[in-house]
Amino acid sequence: MYDLAGADPLLRFSPYCWRTKMALAHKGLEVETIPWRFTEKDVIESSGQGRVPVLLDGDKVVSDSWEIACYLDEAYADRPALFGSADARGAAFFIKRWTEAVVHPALVRLIIADIVKIVDPKDAGYFRETREKALGASLEDYVAAKEENLKHLHAALTPLRLSVKDFAFLGGESPSYADYIVFGALQWARCSSPQDLLPEDDAVTAWFDRLLNLYDGLGAKAPRPAAA
Ligand SMILES: N[C@@H](CCC(=O)N[C@@H](CS)C(=O)NCC(=O)O)C(=O)O
């Protein structure tokens, strides 16, 4: 699997790659991750698009994290299900849309200026230019109102907080793909920024810790940048 890496090849911070690595672990499938940088578009040309994750399974090439999750449940139907039913897949699709439309933008407001510090030097210009154009501001100005942005993130996480205070996982007693989608967002922040964004006494933090510790601490063991 092509997995986004920083200047330090051990820093793996893509939210989409994280949900996919958790999905592979859930299925009990071993994966070799290949560090990939934003500007290495030629390396993943066979996927027909310029984004990671890209999964190579034998001679099959699957891109897009959602497509990969659907592929894994179909191709490895005898292993633990990521969705379990068409209804669960529909609910997970809503979680994907909510995470990408609400949680990701709230995190961008906090971490985008930290990400540019950890990307590979050959990616730094591309990253700054494309993101500043999309955001309509310098990365540093975009994150300037930290206290306000943090409050906004915690408010945005309210539906998750109210769900996981009563259930261990969005999947109920055990994690499902919906958990990995939101986990990927918070793990993106954890692996690209030295800031601790979640308060200690919060049901979201307890849920995130449960996910960090799954699969022999796959998420917990992932390196994160040191504070400057
Ligand atoms: N819809 C895609 C999104 C993948 C995506 O945007 N990946 C980012 C890394 S987090 C990427 O490869 N960006 C390349 C770029 O910005 O040039 C998925 O779910 O896999």
Side-chain angles (χ1 to χ4, degrees):
M1 181 191 125
Y2 287 103
D3 187 15
L4 182 66
D8 175 349
L10 296 177
L11 282 182
R12 305 295 177 92
F13 54 96
S14 158
Y16 306 99
C17 293
W18 267 108
R19 53 172 94 153
T20 304
K21 287 181 283 189
M22 295 297 279
L24 286 158
H26 177 106
K27 298 275 298 174
L29 295 166
E30 289 215 358
V31 63
E32 181 196 344
T33 59
I34 308 163
W36 179 87
R37 307 307 187 314
F38 284 104
T39 47
E40 294 174 347
K41 304 289 182 206
D42 53 326
V43 177
I44 55 168
E45 209 182 330
S46 65
S47 71
Q49 46 93 65
R51 290 169 183 271
V52 290
V54 175
L55 184 73
L56 313 178
D57 189 17
D59 49 17
K60 186 121 183 110
V61 181
V62 195
S63 59
D64 189 274
S65 55
W66 181 260
E67 293 303 321
I68 293 171
C70 296
Y71 165 77
L72 291 176
D73 255 4
E74 270 165 47
Y76 299 94
D78 54 331
R79 288 167 180 254
L82 289 165
F83 300 114
S85 69
D87 284 358
R89 185 146 85 173
F93 195 75
F94 173 80
I95 297 289
K96 165 189 157 67
R97 292 298 192 210
W98 172 71
T99 301
E100 292 168 10
V102 177
V103 183
H104 283 191
L107 287 168
V108 167
R109 280 262 174 215
L110 290 153
I111 64 171
I112 195 82
D114 291 335
I115 301 179
V116 75
K117 294 182 193 154
I118 60 143
V119 297
D120 194 273
K122 72 179 177 189
D123 283 352
Y126 166 82
F127 185 84
R128 180 176 286 280
E129 204 176 294
T130 51
R131 273 49 181 182
E132 290 190 341
K133 189 168 175 222
L135 300 171
S138 79
L139 303 185
E140 291 71 19
D141 284 353
Y142 203 70
V143 299
K146 183 169 172 184
E147 287 312 308
E148 197 183 307
N149 295 342
L150 208 48
K151 270 192 208 144
H152 176 70
L153 172 71
H154 294 155
L157 291 172
T158 303
L160 176 66
R161 183 173 301 112
L162 295 176
S163 304
V164 297
K165 85 179 174 39
D166 295 327
F167 299 97
F169 297 102
L170 296 175
E173 283 175 14
S174 54
S176 70
Y177 193 63
D179 291 277
Y180 305 143
I181 294 172
V182 199
F183 170 80
L186 296 175
Q187 180 73 335
W188 167 39
R190 187 176 173 278
C191 295
S192 64
S193 167
Q195 302 177 69
D196 289 319
L197 301 176
L198 298 177
E200 267 181 36
D201 182 20
D202 188 334
V204 170
T205 312
W207 163 87
F208 186 55
D209 282 343
R210 286 194 283 280
L211 280 145
L212 282 171
N213 290 319
L214 290 176
Y215 314 123
D216 200 23
L218 175 66
K221 284 181 193 159
R224 56 182 309 206

